[in-house]
Structure formats: structure tokens, C-alpha cells
Amino acid sequence: MAYHLLQRDQRGAERLAHALSHALETIRHCEKCNSFTEVEVCDLCLSPKRDAHVLCVVETPADMMMMEQAHCYRGMYFVLMGRLSPLDGIGPREIHLDRLVRRATDGIVQEVILATNFTVEGEATAHYISELLTPRGIKVTRIARGLPVGGELEHVDSGTLAQAVLERRNVA
Amino acid sequence: MAYHLLQRDQRGAERLAHALSHALETIRHCEKCNSFTEVEVCDLCLSPKRDAHVLCVVETPADMMMMEQAHCYRGMYFVLMGRLSPLDGIGPREIHLDRLVRRATDGIVQEVILATNFTVEGEATAHYISELLTPRGIKVTRIARGLPVGGELEHVDSGTLAQAVLERRNVA
């Protein structure tokens, strides 16, 4: 791409440079959900159609986009912009947990859904956050683990199958 | 394989034929779990180490083997040898639901775990069985659906993500 721009499209290179510096100047984090935005509070956080009683915690803006594309959730978000990872020097402060606690204890939020990944770091982050919020009287939930939709026992790894049996649910 | 046996290994073909007819004569269904066995009641059903209070319903002996390999379950099994599939002429009688009901209401079984696949037919089968057993006062549970162990939001299909949010669980 660099060669193409320099050899064949110098005007394009100029436009790209301007666009990037403009983005660097204007893109900031939303005051409420911490995702990328150009304004103080992003459109999603301002929307009256969203349910302000539920707050979903995700690791990245890409995860937030996945949730929106699944059309399964109408509440608010908080984007950590990372996950706890002590070896990389990422602690509670780097993923803005102080702001998350303030956001979750605003008196409107009634449930916090932890939708961090099911990796070791994502699980540790979810556990840490639940330890922070549960003593403050907030209902904390975690998205489910188990077999995928359309999944068959024969084609699933044994760790996932074990978890699906362990976390089985009552049939109403 | 047929050409090899006929051209190069006629003794082998004879041995295979004997083995197959021997299997056809001796292999039968276990009186208790309905899986394949050579005796009246299979080793697993006779084992005193298994928990007789829990009964896990699976579609095939292969699914039962998957459960055993996951080392997550110490109870008994019932193998349907299929799933409800009206278009293929497979109804409640073909998957031995009368025997399952008798097995589940023997007074010892306290919980029936439905571990049929999460396909359309597996789901329909699970629903049908729960409708049969719940009115008889038996606790019926279903293995969990959701993100796989190690799973990340970015790499999961939106149907599974939606289900994981819908079936989120309280953090203790």
C-alpha cells in the first residue's frame, strides 16, 4: 500500500495523511461508555431507545459491534479498552475500572452483564469486576458458556462439553 | 477394501464375515441404558461407582462416549438411538420414549439431564421429553448453550452470542 501511494497516487497519500491526523485530533472516548466517538457522549449512550437499567461490559469497541450485530441486547455498554493482563502492565487503572464502578453505581443501572471473552485474561477480568460490584449491591451476570447454536456433542471439545453439563439449566 | 479382500486376503474376508455375523448375533441393547452391549445389562449400568440419581439422555452411543471422555459426569445414561424426525418416520416409539419414561420414574432417578444435540431435531426431542417428564414430578435440566471455552466474542456466530446473552447467569 505504501509503494502504491508513493508511486501512483501521491494525492491519495496526502488525503490519507490528512484524514489520519484529523481522526487523531477529533476521536476521543465517550464520557459514558468509553468507546470511540467524535463528541462528548456518543449516539448510542444518548439514544432514548436504549434500556438504561442494564450495562454490558465488553473488552473492545469491536466486541460492542458484535453485540450490536447479534441484535440481542438493547441496553448500554461500557468498553474497557483492554483486559487485565499483569504481565503486560495492564492493571485495573488501565482498563478504567474506577470509571466503570462510578458508571455502574449511578443509581439507574440495575444489572451489569459481563461479556468479556472466555480466555484466561477475560475470565480474570470478569471475576475482578464482579468482586468490585457485588459488594455494592449491583446484580452481576455473566454471558453463558456451552455448546454453540446448532452444535452437536460429537463435534465439540471436551472442555466445552464439561462446562455445558456443569452449567446445565432447569427446563421450565 | 472389498477388492483387496477378494484379491489378496481371502482368509481375512472369511474372518471379517465371521466377526460380523458373530456381532450381529451377540450385540444387543442394554436393558437399562439402551446402548450396545453383549450382555443383558452393560458394565456402566452395573457399576456401583456411578450415581444412580442422575440420568443423562443422549442421541447415540457415540455421544455417550463423548460424555465419558469429557470426564464431567458420573451418573447413568439413556441412549435414544436416534432423535425425533417425523419426515423420516421416526416418532416417540422409535426412540423408545416409553422405556425412557419407565426408566426415569423408577423412584431412584431424581434428575434427567437432556444432552441431545442443539440441532432442530435434537431441540425438538429435548422439548418433547421435558413435556413427558415434567408433569411426572421429575427435575429436568438441559446442558448449556453459549460461548465455547476459550471463546472470544469476535469469533463467534451472532446466533450463539445472542443465546449466550439471553441465557446469562448470575455471578454468585
Side-chain angles (χ1 to χ4, degrees), chain B residues 66-95:
Chain B
M66 289 301 297
M67 288 284 294
E68 286 299 290
Q69 282 173 358
H71 298 292
C72 57
Y73 180 68
R74 301 299 301 160
M76 316 298 273
Y77 289 96
F78 188 86
V79 183
L80 299 172
M81 292 285 170
R83 62 207 67 82
L84 285 181
S85 179
L87 289 179
D88 302 318
I90 301 175
R93 201 214 298 258
E94 281 69 27
I95 57 171

Side-chain angles (χ1 to χ4, degrees), chain A residues 11-55:
Chain A
R11 292 281 305 278
E14 214 170 284
R15 281 206 307 280
L16 184 61
H18 277 302
L20 273 174
S21 22
H22 178 73
L24 280 174
E25 277 162 26
T26 55
I27 295 283
R28 47 193 284 187
H29 293 281
C30 170
E31 291 287 317
K32 293 193 87 171
C33 73
N34 200 35
S35 190
F36 291 126
T37 172
E38 288 193 0
V39 287
E40 199 173 327
V41 177
C42 73
D43 289 348
L44 194 147
C45 288
L46 285 176
S47 168
K49 289 185 186 160
R50 311 290 304 200
D51 180 358
H53 300 305
V54 201
L55 185 71

Side-chain angles (χ1 to χ4, degrees), chain B:
Chain B
M1 194 177 123
Y3 280 120
H4 174 82
L5 285 174
L6 290 171
Q7 283 178 6
R8 310 202 184 271
D9 193 5
Q10 300 217 341
R11 292 282 304 279
E14 213 169 285
R15 280 205 308 281
L16 184 59
H18 278 302
L20 274 174
S21 23
H22 178 73
L24 281 173
E25 278 162 26
T26 54
I27 295 284
R28 48 192 285 187
H29 293 281
C30 170
E31 291 288 316
K32 293 194 87 171
C33 73
N34 200 35
S35 191
F36 292 126
T37 171
E38 289 192 1
V39 288
E40 197 175 326
V41 177
C42 73
D43 288 349
L44 193 147
C45 289
L46 285 175
S47 167
K49 288 184 187 161
R50 311 290 303 200
D51 180 357
H53 301 304
V54 201
L55 185 70
C56 179
V57 178
V58 292
E59 294 183 14
T60 64
D63 291 345
M64 180 171 156
M65 205 178 67
M66 289 301 297
M67 288 284 294
E68 286 299 290
Q69 282 173 358
H71 298 292
C72 57
Y73 180 68
R74 301 299 301 160
M76 316 298 273
Y77 289 96
F78 188 86
V79 183
L80 299 172
M81 292 285 170
R83 62 207 67 82
L84 285 181
S85 179
L87 289 179
D88 302 318
I90 301 175
R93 201 214 298 258
E94 281 69 27
I95 57 171
H96 316 283
L97 292 193
D98 48 337
R99 278 184 56 199
L100 170 59
V101 170
R102 278 205 304 279
R103 179 77 181 84
T105 53
D106 65 353
I108 299 166
V109 172
Q110 288 167 0
E111 177 185 353
V112 172
I113 303 175
L114 301 175
T116 56
N117 291 329
F118 283 103
T119 55
V120 176
E121 292 169 344
E123 282 280 75
T125 308
H127 183 73
Y128 193 95
I129 296 174
S130 76
E131 296 277 290
L132 275 181
L133 296 180
T134 316
R136 289 174 166 86
I138 297 156
K139 181 181 173 190
V140 181
T141 56
R142 180 86 170 106
I143 57 172
R145 229 176 341 189
L147 267 69
V149 168
E152 302 181 28
L153 269 71
E154 262 192 87
H155 304 119
V156 94
D157 63 291
S158 55
T160 297
L161 184 54
Q163 203 66 45
V165 173
L166 201 70
E167 301 196 347
R168 62 186 181 271
R169 47 184 49 245
N170 289 328
V171 174

